[in-house]
Amino acid sequence: MIAPARRAAYEVVRRVFEDEAYADRAFAAAAAGLDARDRALAQRIAYGTVQRVRTLDHAIEALGRRPVRKLDPPVRAALRIGAYQLAYLEGVPARAAANESVELVRAARLERAVAFTNAVMRRLAEGIRPLLGSLPEGPLKHSYPDWVAEVWERDLGRDEALALMRAQNEPAETVVRVVRGEVEGEPTDVPGAVRVARVDERALAEGRIWPQSRASQLAGLAVGSREGERVLDLCAAPGGKATMLRGEVVAVELHDGRARELEENVRRLGATNVRVVHADALALPPELTGFDRALVDAPCSGLGVLAQRPDLRWRAKPLPELQLALLRAAAERVRPGGTIVYAVCTINADENEAVVDASGLEVDASLTGEWRRYRHRRRPGFFLTLPHRDRTSGFFVARLRV
């Protein structure tokens, strides 16, 4: 018999790597109906396997003596989740991990692969931890694409790059923004941001809280909007930052589904000052102009939120051309003397300070007067939060003057 948690984790891993599904969406479908305990275990196995897949595949190939790419997909997924449990979970009996991986292959009607799976799982049980322990520090050991490790080493130096890799393989802190009422938890240095043991689903459904990292909330606060001002949010979905802003807010979203989600979240959070516009930020209606402030929370490679999104490291791409185009589009819609906050949840100078430099806009260095601990070390006029240093997601934030 296959435990429900392992079956759900197996389904997620298959969907992510065979269908290019997003891990969170695949998990929501696979874990429907599980109780809280099974759901937590399924998520840990599924997300951990997706996150550590490069390292796991190395171990499977080294000990199984067969290229992972040549394995049948059900066998590959079963070995991956089995290897993850053996390597990274404490208290999981090796026999249980091995037997259930074998049963998953049998359930896929691949009887011819059962003996192979059983043999590889036995070798993994004996050898995976010594093998992984002997790997040199770097992207193979910590399961990152080489290009990500190279960017971080270039920008931060080797020691910090390694610390960042380790940090983003650990669970991120759970922080909510208090929209109204009281929330049980630990206040933080960011106003309205409370660290909690778990997200209260009832409070979320009622619009009293919004799950949002300290760094993300810092980006929203950096806009500094006030009552009576007109504010443009160019890439607004799902709405966490848009609903933080004061004044008359126009929240723009291109994609149909995300625009609907944005509208729903604006209603739920009671942000009556926010008007959603379904449009392309690079081709806005002409009447949307003369704003006092703008927020450009641009699409990016997401290298600052890899702890929260286990599959992102395998699909991430830098987007500096799009980011620069969005920043310039915002500058055309903000009045002279107005300000733009440029924010991206990535740790990559090519998408961060290089985009600001290319824009030609004046940097408003007064941004970093508050929350000095988050200042960019090399460019102190900007914020750069780092997961290994600040224990929150990685965000770059700049405030620019038109």
Side-chain angles (χ1 to χ4, degrees), residues 11 18 25 43-44 118 200 204-205 235 273 287 303 313 316 329 334 339 343 368 378 386 390 401:
E11 291 172 4
E18 294 171 39
R25 296 177 189 174
Q43 185 174 55
R44 188 171 181 190
N118 192 35
D200 183 333
L204 176 61
C235 309
N273 63 317
E287 64 271 17
L303 301 188
R313 67 187 66 190
V334 172
T339 59
T368 54
R378 288 183 287 105
L386 296 170
D390 303 312
R401 196 166 294 280

Side-chain angles (χ1 to χ4, degrees), residues 276-287:
V276 175
V277 173
H278 183 197
D280 185 344
L282 299 178
L284 290 177
E287 64 271 17

Side-chain angles (χ1 to χ4, degrees), residues 53-74:
V53 74
R54 181 179 180 185
T55 313
L56 299 173
D57 284 357
H58 172 76
I60 292 166
E61 291 191 348
L63 298 172
R65 307 184 190 107
R66 189 175 298 180
V68 167
R69 70 180 184 279
K70 293 187 176 180
L71 300 177
D72 291 311

Side-chain angles (χ1 to χ4, degrees), residues 5-315:
R6 290 186 177 90
R7 183 180 291 281
Y10 167 80
E11 291 172 4
V12 173
V13 171
R14 289 200 64 180
R15 287 209 58 212
V16 168
F17 292 112
E18 294 171 39
D19 304 331
E20 298 185 355
Y22 291 103
D24 57 346
R25 296 177 189 174
F27 179 75
L34 294 184
D35 62 29
R37 183 176 178 180
D38 279 342
R39 185 182 180 85
L41 178 59
Q43 185 174 55
R44 188 171 181 190
I45 296 172
Y47 284 15
T49 301
V50 171
Q51 189 179 67
R52 302 271 192 173
V53 74
R54 181 179 180 185
T55 313
L56 299 173
D57 284 357
H58 172 76
I60 292 166
E61 291 191 348
L63 298 172
R65 307 184 190 107
R66 189 175 298 180
V68 167
R69 70 180 184 279
K70 293 187 176 180
L71 300 177
D72 291 311
V75 177
R76 186 163 55 228
L79 288 174
R80 283 170 169 171
I81 69 166
Y84 175 77
Q85 293 169 79
L86 294 170
Y88 298 107
L89 289 190
E90 299 297 335
V92 174
R95 179 180 294 275
N99 287 348
E100 295 210 18
S101 289
V102 168
E103 290 307 312
L104 285 165
V105 170
R106 182 172 280 125
R109 299 182 180 180
L110 289 171
E111 193 67 36
R112 57 182 168 74
V114 164
F116 168 78
T117 304
N118 192 35
V120 175
M121 286 301 301
R122 286 201 307 271
R123 292 180 208 145
L124 288 168
E126 295 171 2
I128 191 168
R129 292 203 176 192
L131 173 65
L132 300 189
S134 70
L135 291 176
E137 289 289 327
L140 175 57
K141 184 182 184 73
H142 298 295
S143 193
Y144 288 85
D146 287 341
W147 76 268
V148 173
E150 289 163 4
V151 164
W152 287 347
E153 188 164 345
R154 178 200 69 189
D155 292 351
L156 302 171
R158 178 167 173 77
D159 289 346
E160 282 215 76
L162 290 171
L164 182 53
M165 285 186 229
R166 295 187 200 104
Q168 293 217 81
N169 280 340
E170 297 301 322
E173 67 174 4
T174 303
V175 170
V176 299
R177 173 167 61 88
V178 180
V179 179
R180 56 182 175 273
E182 298 292 326
V183 173
E184 184 177 340
E186 176 190 353
T188 70
D189 60 336
V190 176
V194 176
R195 190 177 293 110
V196 296
R198 62 177 183 83
V199 174
D200 183 333
E201 295 297 332
R202 180 175 177 179
L204 176 61
E206 294 174 352
R208 293 186 280 117
I209 60 171
W210 183 258
Q212 191 173 359
S213 74
R214 287 182 287 129
S216 174
Q217 294 188 51
L218 189 68
L221 291 169
V223 177
S225 56
R226 297 186 289 264
E227 298 298 337
E229 294 183 329
R230 296 180 65 238
V231 186
L232 176 66
D233 184 347
L234 268 193
C235 309
K241 299 180 192 66
T243 54
M244 295 177 67
L245 304 178
R246 295 182 178 180
E248 179 190 333
V249 179
V250 173
V252 177
E253 177 54 44
L254 171 62
H255 300 287
D256 291 344
R258 287 174 61 81
R260 288 193 295 272
E261 179 187 14
L262 173 60
E263 289 175 339
E264 179 183 335
N265 292 333
V266 165
R267 283 194 299 271
R268 180 187 304 163
L269 297 174
T272 56
N273 63 317
V274 177
R275 176 168 67 94
V276 175
V277 173
H278 183 197
D280 185 344
L282 299 178
L284 290 177
E287 64 271 17
L288 295 183
T289 191
F291 290 91
D292 299 291
R293 301 177 189 268
L295 170 61
V296 180
D297 181 18
C300 66
S301 58
L303 301 188
V305 293
L306 300 183
Q308 297 97 312
R309 297 182 56 189
D311 53 309
L312 182 57
R313 67 187 66 190
W314 310 121
R315 64 172 90 236

